[in-house]
Amino acid sequence: MQATVFDDTICELGEGPIWAEGRLFWFDIPGQRLHARDEAGATRSWHFGERVSAAGRLREGGLVIASETGLWRFDADSGEWQLIAAMEADDPTTRSNDGRADRQGGFWIGTMGKKFEKGAGALYRLYRGEIRLVRTGLTIPNAICFAPDGSRGYFSDGNDKCIRTWALDAHGWPRQDPETFFDFGPLGGSPDGAIVDSEGALWCANWGGGRVLRILPDGRIDAEIALPVRQPTCPAFGPALDRLYITSAREGLDAAALAAQPLAGAVFQAPIAVPGLAEPFVDLD
């Protein structure tokens, strides 16, 4: 399958796409911006004054947004945002990265060093309005996603190029140490953002590989979507769950690479054969 352009707004580091409230939201992390586009093509953007990277749908309406200082409740209509919980707000060297809602009403978010410092990142989980540290020692946490029944979670660390998995309890907390699920080492590039479809397969962006891979629950590659850029960052299911929307980045590309990939940083779309899953709601109570 080949992807086509959905929106040609160029982001330095496009990330965190999510369909909510009738539109696709996505971030430009260095640009400190959230962008949105609805199905009719109307666009809007918001500037936050700090780096923002990921979002989830709040059951009460609006979004939970991860920034470099915390998790925030955001109303896209009014533009108002309110702090839910601080997160590494006293550490100016780190920022948020990949994040996603789980099936139990929680929201997971990874942090990382702004200069990619080894081991400076961590995984957190927001659950019923409280944030808790889950894992430390990560470098570039990514691929946060969850099995359809919520019994298993996934994440990766770009430092070792592996997607890891662990069993979750009824409340969504890990109940064992993570184990390797899929190794990108032989393929080239690294795992970036990922989502899980209705059959439990992961659609994972292959940073540096110019594609999104569909990885079955048993670890076999089943399908791929080719992109005209080398650095796809994260996929999201569309409102009908029959299409992927994929952010990308131009960060770190030299002049020759940018000339060869003029659409680096745009958002792409592609049809899929197996239906996706709607993003779960995040519960604050």
Side-chain angles (χ1 to χ4, degrees), residues 207-283:
W207 173 280
R211 57 189 175 176
V212 178
L213 298 176
R214 184 175 191 253
I215 307 169
L216 298 176
D218 63 7
R220 290 180 295 121
I221 296 175
D222 173 67
E224 69 175 65
I225 295 170
L227 292 135
V229 296
R230 296 295 296 171
Q231 296 178 165
T233 55
C234 191
F237 295 118
L241 307 177
D242 61 353
R243 185 169 292 269
L244 282 185
Y245 294 83
I246 306 154
T247 49
S248 69
R250 60 198 289 113
E251 183 178 68
L253 298 179
D254 61 21
L258 289 172
Q261 304 168 58
L263 290 171
V267 181
F268 300 88
Q269 61 181 335
I272 53 175
V274 176
L277 290 172
E279 284 293 314
F281 287 109
V282 178
D283 296 313

Side-chain angles (χ1 to χ4, degrees), residues 50-282:
E50 62 180 282
R51 299 178 195 188
V52 286
S53 64
R57 302 193 301 162
L58 289 172
R59 190 176 299 278
E60 62 199 50
L63 301 174
V64 53
I65 285 183
S67 82
E68 62 184 82
T69 60
L71 297 175
W72 304 78
R73 181 189 288 110
F74 178 66
D75 185 320
D77 293 325
S78 68
E80 295 179 355
W81 57 322
Q82 178 183 3
L83 184 65
I84 298 170
M87 181 181 66
E88 300 188 8
D90 58 349
D91 188 348
T93 69
T94 63
R95 65 166 175 86
S96 62
N97 195 46
D98 187 56
R100 191 166 304 281
D102 62 30
R103 314 293 178 193
Q104 290 87 355
F107 183 76
W108 293 68
I109 182 68
T111 62
M112 60 178 284
K114 291 177 181 176
K115 296 182 179 180
F116 311 100
E117 293 91 340
K118 186 175 181 179
L123 276 179
Y124 293 84
R125 185 182 185 226
L126 177 73
Y127 187 62
R128 303 196 182 281
E130 296 183 4
I131 192 166
R132 185 187 300 179
L133 178 63
V134 179
R135 190 171 180 84
T136 60
L138 303 177
T139 301
I140 308 176
N142 263 311
I144 299 171
C145 57
F146 304 92
D149 64 359
S151 65
R152 183 160 292 279
Y154 301 87
F155 70 93
S156 71
D157 186 349
N159 188 55
D160 65 11
K161 300 187 178 184
C162 288
I163 298 177
R164 304 194 182 281
T165 184
W166 48 15
L168 306 177
D169 67 21
H171 298 286
W173 297 105
R175 56 184 180 86
Q176 65 178 46
D177 290 334
E179 57 189 28
T180 298
F181 166 69
F182 188 86
D183 183 1
F184 271 76
L187 300 179
S190 303
D192 209 304
I195 48 177
V196 175
D197 65 25
S198 58
E199 293 183 348
L202 276 68
W203 285 98
C204 185
N206 184 189
W207 173 280
R211 57 189 175 176
V212 178
L213 298 176
R214 184 175 191 253
I215 307 169
L216 298 176
D218 63 7
R220 290 180 295 121
I221 296 175
D222 173 67
E224 69 175 65
I225 295 170
L227 292 135
V229 296
R230 296 295 296 171
Q231 296 178 165
T233 55
C234 191
F237 295 118
L241 307 177
D242 61 353
R243 185 169 292 269
L244 282 185
Y245 294 83
I246 306 154
T247 49
S248 69
R250 60 198 289 113
E251 183 178 68
L253 298 179
D254 61 21
L258 289 172
Q261 304 168 58
L263 290 171
V267 181
F268 300 88
Q269 61 181 335
I272 53 175
V274 176
L277 290 172
E279 284 293 314
F281 287 109
V282 178

